[in-house]
Amino acid sequence: MIDTVFTFGGDAPHSNARQKDKTVTGGKGANLAEMASIGLPVPPGFTIATEECLKYLREGGDFRTDLVSDIEEALRHVERTVGKGFGDANDPLLVSVRSGAAISMPGMMDTVLNLGLNDETVKGLAKVSGDERFAWDSYRRFIQMYADVVLGLDHGLFEEALEIAKEDNGFYADTEMSAEDWKRLVAEFKSIAEQELGEPFPQDPQAQLWGAIRAVFDSWDTERAKVYRRLNDIPHDMGTAVNVQAMVFGNMGDTSATGVAFTRDPSTGEKAYYGEWLVNAQGEDVVAGIRTPQYLTKARREAAGADKPSMEEAMPDAYGELARVFDLLERHYTDMQDIEFTVQQGKLWLLQTRNGKRTAKAALKMAVDMVGEGLIDEKTAICRVDPMALDQLLHPTLDPDAPRDVLTTGLPASPGAASGKIVLDADTAELWANRGEKVVLVRIETSPEDIHGMHAATGILTARGGMTSHAAVVARGMGRPCVSGASQVSISREDRTLTIGDRELKEGDVITIDGGNGQVIAGEVATIEPELAGDFGTLMEWADKHRRMAVRTNAETEADCKMARQFGAEGIGLCRTEHMFFDADRISAVRQMILADDETGRRAALDKLLPEQRKDFVAIFETMAGLPCTIRLLDPPLHEFLPHGDTEFEELAETTGVSIDKLRRRASELHEFNPMLGHRGCRLGITYPEIYEMQARAIFEAACEVAKTSGEAPVPEVMIPLVATRRELELLRALVDRVAREVFDASGTTLTYLVGTMIELPRAALMAGEIAEEAEFFSFGTNDLTQTTLGVSRDDAGRFLTEYVDKGIFARDPFVSLDVDGVGQLVELAAERGRKSRGDIKLGICGEHGGDPASIAFCEKTGLDYISASPYRVPIARLAAAQAALR
Ligand code: ADP
Ligand code: MG
Ligand code: MG
């Protein structure tokens, strides 16, 4: 029988490898054991493995029989270590029951503190601690948490009772409540619970413990946990561990405290301790925003102009000890740590450590700094930065010189700037965002129920909560700018308005928040381009050194090409020529071509388009300065260019001199039932060769022109889309070669160029060996290949895809992350067959997947030569390609 219950602290062995495996004991449990094993002060406890959670959920809420005895034995370890008895009326052991999954899910699963208290043990606790107030404060906290987390009662009822008790006494803070006040409140809490439950609040510590364990297991399957996992690509089948741990008390008077700290600044990455703490407080007080926490260090306090003392000043000994632990843990884990601690009557205890969440900016800085400090090497640094997080750094920030109508300033909880319409709840945020609007979610304080709205918002503003509040932590994780604790903000939910000082704003008004300095600004503020040198440049340089695949971009405008080059693109992987046809002054020539009766009519229209298209390519070739450019000939169904509505038809009739009736007739002839599988791609080139001829001419004429004027000869790679058979490519390749010869002869210049195809139909993948005889390169068009392999239209998938992902049918949206098992096989097969028949065939990918790190890892494994992504994704692709090569 394998172990599923592991003890830690005291004389526990800590030698079982499974205990330090996060998938078994969860992040919290594994790290508690790790800290205890290196001699740090950790209150003793035990961890119940994730397997037990899965088993419990699978079996509809039943525990394994031996689990009960295993837990009893583990509990005995805790009792022995602290010298107290669980349920002992004279000197009770109290425990916390904490959840902990393998991947941290902040705020997703709730902790119960002070478990083991009842009407008898509370008296014992008062006696041994010599502090009645403390004992009753702990008891009321326990009832409150247990009622909420385990019994599922409305926590508002208890909060209200506490508010009333304070008001009656004229108190402002919880700390002003006396022992007698708490006693009265406990009585009231118990009667509220009894009223709601229809039975007394559970007094038996064993029943309390098992109830809490169940609650942790059950919390794995709550809606909010599922939403969080979905948003963060965490599998649903990991389960959570349970940690049961002896309590230490931060609420034992003025020599006791509790806090949260980071070994480096999680927003900026600066190497300075960073954190918040509260005197005479317990657990969640710091993050819940009930009292405003104080700064950990003197430097921070002074910088913020705060007057309540820092821990460094108020508890120099415990702080010194803490600082020593920070350094030790950072060296041990060779990464920035996020630490939870409690000081009980001057003695420091560690309750949690984990690799801290950080902004992209901080991740970059820490990775580069730690290499400089000799803590990690370049390869580790490359692997430490989440490629997707780079996105945060690549977007514009607020222009420091633009005028700002600052409404108020809160805490800079998550950097970056966001403008958008004010929305006051998460559902509205989601609704408006789905309509395509940018919204800033404004809340008193966020909670896990708001996650979907935070995700939909471009930024988050809260009136309460510190830098480690729920809003701040989640926003940083999601890369959303956030200003928290803007205490001047007050929200009226009935009127859907916001008051900030003497200014009133309505839901829907535009505001801007600056997560870098905490400012809340009326209206929209001008932005500036991001800084690509510094740490970003350094890490990218390292990444380039370690990656094998080239990184290109999908671009067709000069502006996009320029941007992509700034971001490090090494060529164009996909230039979609049809995008050039939508220009206002070109579309009528395009329509004229489509609606022409015959080839002569089409050629007349194409003659107008040729110089325009040539101009486009000149600009692209000049910008790309000798880098390879894959240009795809016309691909979409022609009807996409057709006029819509009466005015467009009227306009076209006027410019072409063809009657509206005739135009309409021709348009309806072009109607297709299933355009995605219709008259498109190379089928256009086969039936209307003059179209591809014009495009090929434009490409080669532009290339010759640029070769003459600039020093660097362009390298065009002409790509034929939607090929299914070798014969299609043979015909069209002959056409392209002929045009190339004509242009080279006429201009007296000869250039190297390639002709190749997209592999985007299953038949093309299967016949890749034959097709490669005609193709000098393959570019995997994985968008269409996914559609045609799965038989799913990307534009219609929205109706069922979420459910498919929720039900585990697809692990992820196959249009975002390549379906490696299915579509991936076709890619592998085509690559292999293509190479067999043409040894030097160039292989690349140009679908959206080229910017997705998981898909990039697959491309590396398959040995593709390059990946191609939209300009903003180029740095992501560079980093992901390096990580793929290193892993
Ligand atoms: P979360 O995962 O939400 O951070 P935790 O299990 O870490 O939840 O518990 C939240 C807080 O409760 C901790 O930061 C700590 O302050 C407090 N806490 C948990 N267990 C104990 C304990 N045994 N003694 C004292 N405080 C505890
Ligand atoms: Mg915690
Ligand atoms: Mg396609």
Side-chain angles (χ1 to χ4, degrees):
M1 183 64 224
I2 47 160
D3 282 343
T4 55
V5 180
F6 305 92
T7 54
F8 56 81
D11 61 2
H14 307 120
S15 53
N16 188 323
R18 275 173 42 84
Q19 188 173 10
K20 293 187 184 169
D21 178 351
K22 289 186 179 140
T23 62
V24 177
T25 52
K28 206 177 283 170
N31 285 339
L32 283 168
E34 185 84 25
M35 284 198 290
S37 74
I38 58 176
L40 292 175
V42 172
F46 59 89
T47 306
I48 309 169
T50 51
E51 287 125 283
E52 296 290 359
C53 168
L54 295 175
K55 199 177 302 174
Y56 166 92
L57 292 172
R58 213 169 36 234
E59 278 161 29
D62 276 342
F63 295 112
R64 185 167 60 80
T65 348
D66 324 347
L67 185 63
V68 177
S69 56
D70 287 354
I71 286 176
E72 272 164 13
E73 196 181 312
L75 192 59
R76 207 122 328 118
H77 158 79
V78 184
E79 290 180 325
R80 254 195 332 268
T81 310
V82 298
K84 294 172 188 290
F86 189 59
D88 182 340
N90 296 316
D91 190 6
L93 165 70
L94 304 189
V95 296
S96 64
V97 178
R98 322 169 63 185
S99 64
I103 299 169
S104 99
M105 296 170 56
M108 286 295 107
M109 294 184 241
D110 294 316
T111 296
V112 178
L113 301 180
N114 310 327
L115 188 139
L117 280 173
N118 57 27
D119 296 347
E120 295 311 311
T121 53
V122 68
K123 293 179 198 150
L125 182 67
K127 210 175 301 149
V128 284
S129 65
D131 188 344
E132 239 197 325
R133 181 190 177 282
F134 150 74
W136 287 91
D137 173 37
S138 302
Y139 193 19
R140 69 88 192 175
R141 284 171 189 270
F142 168 61
I143 298 174
Q144 207 170 339
M145 275 188 229
Y146 198 89
D148 174 21
V149 176
V150 179
L151 304 175
L153 304 184
D154 176 6
H155 54 90
L157 296 172
F158 297 88
E159 275 154 28
E160 220 165 88
L162 171 58
E163 279 313 307
I164 291 169
K166 282 198 283 189
E167 258 166 42
D168 287 350
N169 286 316
F171 295 157
Y172 171 72
D174 293 359
T175 41
E176 293 171 75
M177 297 276 283
S178 69
E180 290 307 314
D181 296 328
W182 287 132
K183 250 187 227 176
R184 266 193 299 279
L185 195 66
V186 162
E188 184 161 357
F189 276 9
K190 281 198 305 182
S191 82
I192 293 174
E194 183 158 358
Q195 203 159 0
E196 294 292 306
L197 283 175
E199 61 186 19
F201 184 85
Q203 288 284 317
D204 172 17
Q206 286 292 343
Q208 295 172 354
L209 179 62
W210 285 98
I213 292 172
R214 273 176 197 282
V216 173
F217 284 164
D218 288 334
S219 74
W220 179 256
D221 263 351
T222 57
E223 209 44 46
R224 67 185 201 192
K226 284 186 191 161
V227 169
Y228 187 88
R229 289 199 290 272
R230 192 162 64 228
L231 292 176
N232 291 278
D233 287 318
I234 300 172
H236 293 300
D237 62 356
M238 299 179 83
T240 178
V242 182
N243 299 288
V244 177
Q245 188 176 26
M247 284 300 301
V248 288
F249 300 100
N251 56 337
M252 274 191 144
D254 288 344
T255 56
S256 300
T258 187
V260 187
F262 295 86
T263 55
R264 299 182 193 219
D265 187 322
S267 288
T268 63
E270 192 197 344
K271 188 168 166 31
Y273 306 138
Y274 175 82
E276 292 175 329
W277 74 304
L278 276 175
V279 181
N280 197 10
Q282 200 175 34
E284 301 288 305
D285 293 1
V286 175
V287 287
I290 295 167
R291 280 160 64 192
T292 306
Q294 294 156 239
Y295 291 93
L296 197 72
T297 63
K298 180 162 178 258
R300 275 278 172 176
R301 177 187 70 73
E302 285 172 348
D307 36 63
K308 285 213 181 144
S310 64
M311 182 172 174
E312 187 175 5
E313 293 155 296
M315 292 187 176
D317 291 344
Y319 175 81
E321 179 67 14
L322 189 60
R324 195 186 64 81
V325 171
F326 287 164
D327 293 347
L328 196 146
L329 283 177
E330 219 185 55
R331 255 179 287 123
H332 185 78
Y333 288 101
T334 64
D335 201 355
M336 183 268 272
Q337 296 298 293
D338 167 357
I339 293 166
E340 292 171 14
F341 64 92
T342 282
V343 178
Q344 175 176 332
Q345 299 188 315
K347 171 156 174 56
L348 176 70
W349 292 96
L350 295 162
L351 292 165
Q352 189 172 340
T353 192
R354 62 181 165 208
N355 294 340
K357 287 204 187 292
R358 60 204 73 183
T359 63
K361 183 173 174 220
L364 263 184
K365 178 163 172 53
M366 287 180 206
V368 172
D369 283 357
M370 285 182 188
V371 171
E373 292 161 30
L375 206 59
I376 58 175
D377 61 13
E378 269 177 36
K379 292 179 186 174
T380 311
I382 290 168
C383 294
R384 206 159 265 181
V385 178
D386 171 11
M388 292 308 283
L390 290 181
D391 206 30
Q392 291 176 42
L393 302 175
L394 302 173
H395 290 281
T397 50
L398 294 186
D399 179 354
D401 298 327
R404 296 182 183 202
D405 175 8
V406 178
L407 297 166
T408 184
T409 301
L411 299 170
S414 177
S419 295
K421 292 185 173 171
I422 295 170
V423 286
L424 299 179
D425 65 76
D427 291 341
T428 310
E430 197 174 54
L431 199 73
W432 291 21
N434 284 343
R435 292 204 304 240
E437 305 198 53
K438 290 197 298 175
V439 297
V440 173
L441 178 64
V442 184
R443 304 283 287 158
I444 299 288
E445 163 63 316
T446 61
S447 76
E449 281 87 16
D450 293 324
I451 297 263
H452 62 292
M454 299 173 76
H455 203 258
T458 59
I460 297 141
L461 168 63
T462 69
R464 266 198 247 144
M467 298 286 289
T468 50
S469 63
H470 178 266
V473 171
V474 173
R476 283 199 292 269
M478 283 184 182
R480 296 288 180 283
C482 174
V483 171
S484 68
S487 53
Q488 284 204 23
V489 172
S490 78
I491 297 171
S492 160
R493 279 211 273 177
E494 287 101 81
D495 307 344
R496 311 291 296 179
T497 58
L498 205 68
T499 318
I500 304 180
D502 55 5
R503 305 273 291 267
E504 181 154 311
L505 296 118
K506 291 187 304 297
E507 187 161 41
D509 288 350
V510 173
I511 54 168
T512 298
I513 57 166
D514 185 342
N517 64 11
Q519 284 179 350
V520 182
I521 305 154
E524 200 161 341
V525 179
T527 53
I528 51 167
E529 290 308 309
E531 161 72 74
L532 298 180
D535 294 330
F536 179 85
T538 308
L539 193 86
M540 282 295 140
E541 226 172 80
W542 294 343
D544 291 346
K545 206 160 71 188
H546 291 279
R547 77 182 147 89
R548 182 191 58 80
M549 290 188 290
V551 176
R552 299 195 190 181
T553 191
N554 299 350
E556 42 270 330
T557 67
E558 195 182 339
D560 278 358
C561 290
K562 278 199 179 125
M563 169 122 64
R565 285 209 61 192
Q566 270 176 23
F567 287 151
E570 298 165 300
I572 294 180
L574 177 63
C575 169
R576 301 173 169 94
T577 49
E578 61 268 18
H579 285 198
M580 302 163 168
F581 285 178
F582 284 105
D583 237 57
D585 43 336
R586 298 184 192 181
I587 189 76
S588 81
V590 175
R591 285 174 177 160
Q592 190 186 334
M593 169 191 75
I594 297 170
L595 297 172
D597 289 325
D598 52 18
E599 186 183 331
T600 325
R602 273 193 296 279
R603 284 200 184 270
L606 286 166
D607 284 346
K608 290 192 217 163
L609 287 169
L610 175 67
E612 300 294 332
Q613 184 108 89
R614 187 169 53 218
K615 229 168 28 194
D616 297 329
F617 294 134
V618 166
I620 289 173
F621 288 141
E622 278 174 348
T623 315
M624 298 311 289
L627 295 172
C629 297
T630 303
I631 298 167
R632 178 179 70 186
L633 302 185
L634 196 66
D635 181 45
L638 289 181
H639 85 109
E640 279 188 20
F641 298 103
L642 287 180
H644 312 278
D646 295 343
T647 18
E648 286 189 11
F649 272 106
E650 279 159 26
E651 272 171 28
L652 191 66
E654 209 159 295
T655 41
T656 56
V658 180
S659 76
I660 294 192
D661 277 354
K662 189 169 171 208
L663 291 175
R664 283 196 189 280
R665 205 170 337 113
R666 191 72 187 111
S668 73
E669 278 166 22
L670 282 168
H671 171 80
E672 290 180 303
F673 288 102
N674 193 346
M676 191 189 79
L677 301 176
H679 194 181
R680 55 167 292 214
C682 68
R683 298 159 199 171
L684 294 172
I686 297 284
T687 51
Y688 301 141
E690 56 279 5
I691 300 179
Y692 276 19
E693 198 181 311
M694 181 281 286
Q695 293 197 292
R697 185 170 300 280
I699 293 169
F700 291 118
E701 286 180 357
C704 289
E705 186 182 326
V706 174
K708 277 184 200 157
T709 51
S710 78
E712 274 156 314
V715 189
E717 301 181 347
V718 180
M719 179 155 75
I720 314 290
L722 214 71
V723 161
T725 74
R726 176 200 162 128
R727 180 69 179 148
E728 285 168 322
L729 190 58
E730 191 183 347
L731 289 171
L732 293 171
R733 187 198 166 116
L735 179 148
V736 173
D737 284 341
R738 174 176 57 81
V739 174
R741 246 183 348 262
E742 286 169 14
V743 173
F744 294 159
D745 286 349
S747 78
T749 327
T750 301
L751 295 173
T752 320
Y753 67 93
L754 305 179
V755 181
T757 182
M758 279 179 103
I759 300 288
E760 50 189 339
L761 294 175
R763 190 184 197 281
L766 295 168
M767 301 305 289
E770 266 192 16
I771 292 173
E773 287 167 21
E774 296 293 336
E776 287 156 310
F777 66 87
F778 285 167
S779 175
F780 292 97
T782 48
N783 297 346
D784 271 329
L785 190 58
T786 300
Q787 298 201 88
T788 53
T789 303
L790 270 59
V792 169
S793 143
R794 180 171 59 168
D795 301 324
D796 300 309
R799 307 229 172 100
F800 55 85
L801 211 54
T802 323
E803 219 170 310
Y804 262 56
V805 172
D806 280 353
K807 295 199 165 136
I809 298 170
F810 294 140
R812 291 185 60 190
D813 177 344
F815 293 103
V816 172
S817 197
L818 191 75
D819 160 35
V820 170
D821 296 339
V823 179
Q825 266 192 56
L826 285 172
V827 174
E828 277 168 352
L829 189 132
E832 190 193 307
R833 293 188 179 171
R835 277 209 192 94
K836 200 177 270 171
S837 77
R838 185 187 288 264
D840 63 347
I841 193 166
K842 210 186 228 188
L843 301 174
I845 181 175
C846 63
E848 290 301 307
H849 301 105
D852 168 62
S855 312
I856 290 171
F858 167 79
C859 295
E860 172 70 24
K861 216 181 84 215
T862 313
L864 300 193
D865 300 301
Y866 70 86
I867 50 186
S868 187
S870 58
Y872 272 111
R873 292 239 164 167
V874 165
I876 297 173
R878 284 162 75 194
L879 184 57
Q883 293 183 351
L886 289 172
R887 278 169 186 160

